[in-house]
Amino acid sequence: MANEISLPLYLKTARRNTIQRAFDATLLFLLVSLLVYRLLSLKNHGYVWLIAFLCESWFTFTWSLIVSTKWNPVEIQTYPENLERRFAELPAVDMFVTTADPEREPPIMTVNTVLSLLAVDYPADKLACYVSDDGCSALTFHSLVEALRFAKLWVPFCKKHNIQVRAPFRYFLEDPMSTCPANSEFNQDWKKIKAEYEQLCLKIKEAGRESAPCDLTGDFAVFANIETGNHPTIVKIMGEHKHGTEGDEEVPHLVYVSREKRPKYPHHFKAGAMNVLSRVSGLMTNAPFILNVDCDMFVNDPQVVRRTMCQLLGHESETDVAFVQYPQCFYNGLKDDPYGNQMVVLTEHLGHGLAGLQGPSYFGTGCFHRRKVLYGVWPDHSDDPARNHALINGKSGEYVLMKNFGKSREFMESATHALRGEKGIRPKLSDSLEAALQVADCDYEFGSTWGTKFGWIYGSMSEDLLTGLTIQRKGWKSTFPLSEPPSFLGCAPTGGPTTMTQQKRWATGQFEILASKSNPIFATFTGNLQFRTSLFYMYILSWGLSSIPELCYAALPAYCIIADSYFLPKVHDPAMLIPVIIFVTYNMLTLREYLKLGLSAQAWWNNMRMGRITATSAYLFGVLSVVLKILGLSDTVFEVTKKDDEASDDEDDDGMSDATKFTFDESPIFVPGTTLLMVHLTALLTLCLRLPALVDDDGEGMRVGPGEVFCSLWVVLCFRPFMKGLFRRGKYGIPSSTIFKSTCLALVFVCMGLRI
């Protein structure tokens, strides 16, 4: 028995990082050296050098935050084979899936995510899957009804044959028949299941073509005459696991939830949906752990729940880990990452580095939470229920619980059980159905602390970061396991408009947090957030702010060419070596990181150029939207990212696949990039024509040097997709309205440069 207790579940080891540290520190030293040079020679130059100094100060600050995060990388290893030898009974897990728009998030995608969750390698009686449908779609509900019928075949098939990929749409991409005898049991089962899945897809596809996916009677009657933003609560217990059963009934609970929405009530986007799921699940199953995934992120490792339990239970004290955040990896990633949104290198380096600090923040999907942490427990009270929950048994206990958790007595009882570490599960899910409808009402949270102290926190489009920051400021830690194969796989945005919409939403939410009282600097001084963890938060929350120095620095070379000025040292000046070495070192260092992970040089370049494009466009609009919100001129709007997992790979006449060609729409988000490109093209044309404005009156020639010309060419190269868009049509071409606006702005910039 003693040997079983000592069996390891979870091991954290430091990773050697000497070479990377040396390169990172060298680049940081060079950046500081350039700032010192700028500062010492600032009085001998004009405002152009001052702008360059301010921009380079920001870049140096950002790099120092990156170096701090990467400095102490850690590897995490789990031993799920030891889990049941350590614990006679495994804890229950409630699994949340969120979807909001059946057009942008196709129901077949949600169905595959749900099926992969229902089929994980974990006792079925310990699992419950809750699907939040914020679109209140009869099509989504119909798809889940059909999926549940298929699940009664799919789940036993996966467990019987130990299938590794348990999302059917990915599993059936490969044909294992060639390696199995034609008359084998697996062969027969595979054919049967594949035929059933094809039938499921056909039913969902045909239902999507109809104005009503099915007869709106029986369970579907509640969807008759439904308005997406104005409807009552709908909670449907679609499937209830029966204890002690096997075969077709070996499927976890499945519950459909569409919370009440009314036009005059705030619904707080995804954070509001997650809080409703927390309350509904708290009444029905009240599992101590919660997994949440987006509708496009399926389970890629059937052992993921067991691996997570190793990290949550494998410590002397549960205060060590509040949540386990898995990295976002993608199954539909295009070759060489043309849109720079797969974040492979960022995840690898910053992820391992964060694991060596207080742990990563919460990134919104693929995350396991402790329920009682979401209910507001502090780590120094977690192991002492009597101290932490004395208020529950006091005279004012009921009043405090009502103020914290709302007016439902059933939910207050459920929350009390969760906070004390007790199960408190009702014998049947239907016993709590009436109370579940109450806690999903749009006015339930009024007068409570939901969204301010407990649950998913409101106040930002990046509710995930804000929630994670709120948890970690209390002193909680987290883990970031990077496993192979990835535990979860999601759908990456494809196309320019979709990518820019996502990046803008991120920048908006991040800047909302940075400009609020939840700022991580305050959390360090007034809470228990570790200093270096707060530096990571500062890095990620300041993505939007980086748009200003990025845009200014990108425009400087063109301005200098037009105005016959310079922002770099002269060629004969030894100080010119500093920016040259910085440029070479940074690009070689980042290229090394990509090659080391087995990625191509083209992938590196795509990420470099997309970094410049998103920073000067999507991030800029994200900041502007927050500024307008602060001024009271407009409010931020949550835009659901369109999911498209069937990107075309057809090639055009240029040998480029349609999926990798940059796409545009009439959104103003493409105006800054187009304007910047036109400004640089005009500057280079002006230089070639040697206009009189570029020559000094005394005939000594131009002051602008080769450094400024090279930088201008570099910017044009980064915005090459925009240059191609000027000459293309359709979705691959920049709309004429965007070109007109950009031309006007470029002319204003050029005229100002010539005048000055």
Side-chain angles (χ1 to χ4, degrees), residues 12 45 103 110 236 249 279 391 411 673 730 749:
K12 181 186 287 189
H45 300 83
E103 293 185 4
T110 304
K236 295 287 186 181
E249 299 299 330
R279 296 193 291 271
L391 60 90
F411 184 75
F749 182 89

Side-chain angles (χ1 to χ4, degrees), residues 288-305:
F289 300 105
I290 293 172
L291 162 66
N292 92 272
V293 295
D294 289 342
C295 64
D296 66 319
M297 180 165 280
F298 68 87
V299 176
N300 191 54
D301 176 12
Q303 292 281 318
V304 65
V305 181

Side-chain angles (χ1 to χ4, degrees), residues 688-718:
C688 292
L689 296 177
R690 296 185 178 275
L691 294 181
L694 293 178
V695 182
D696 287 342
D697 293 336
D698 55 8
E700 292 183 0
M702 298 181 296
R703 287 182 293 174
V704 62
E708 286 76 17
V709 177
F710 174 81
C711 289
S712 184
L713 290 170
W714 183 260
V715 173
V716 171
L717 189 61
C718 288

Side-chain angles (χ1 to χ4, degrees), residues 457-520:
I457 308 302
Y458 304 149
S460 169
M461 278 195 206
S462 297
E463 79 293 324
D464 47 1
L465 282 174
L466 184 54
T467 302
L469 176 58
T470 302
I471 292 172
Q472 290 189 317
R473 73 180 299 167
K474 295 177 180 179
W476 285 103
K477 298 178 182 178
S478 59
T479 64
F480 194 65
L482 285 90
S483 57
E484 189 61 40
S487 296
F488 295 92
L489 288 176
C491 179
T494 56
T498 307
T499 299
M500 291 300 173
T501 297
Q502 184 186 68
Q503 296 284 351
K504 177 192 171 185
R505 188 178 71 241
W506 288 352
T508 301
Q510 290 159 3
F511 189 50
E512 282 177 324
I513 300 172
L514 192 65
S516 71
K517 61 181 180 180
S518 300
N519 187 296

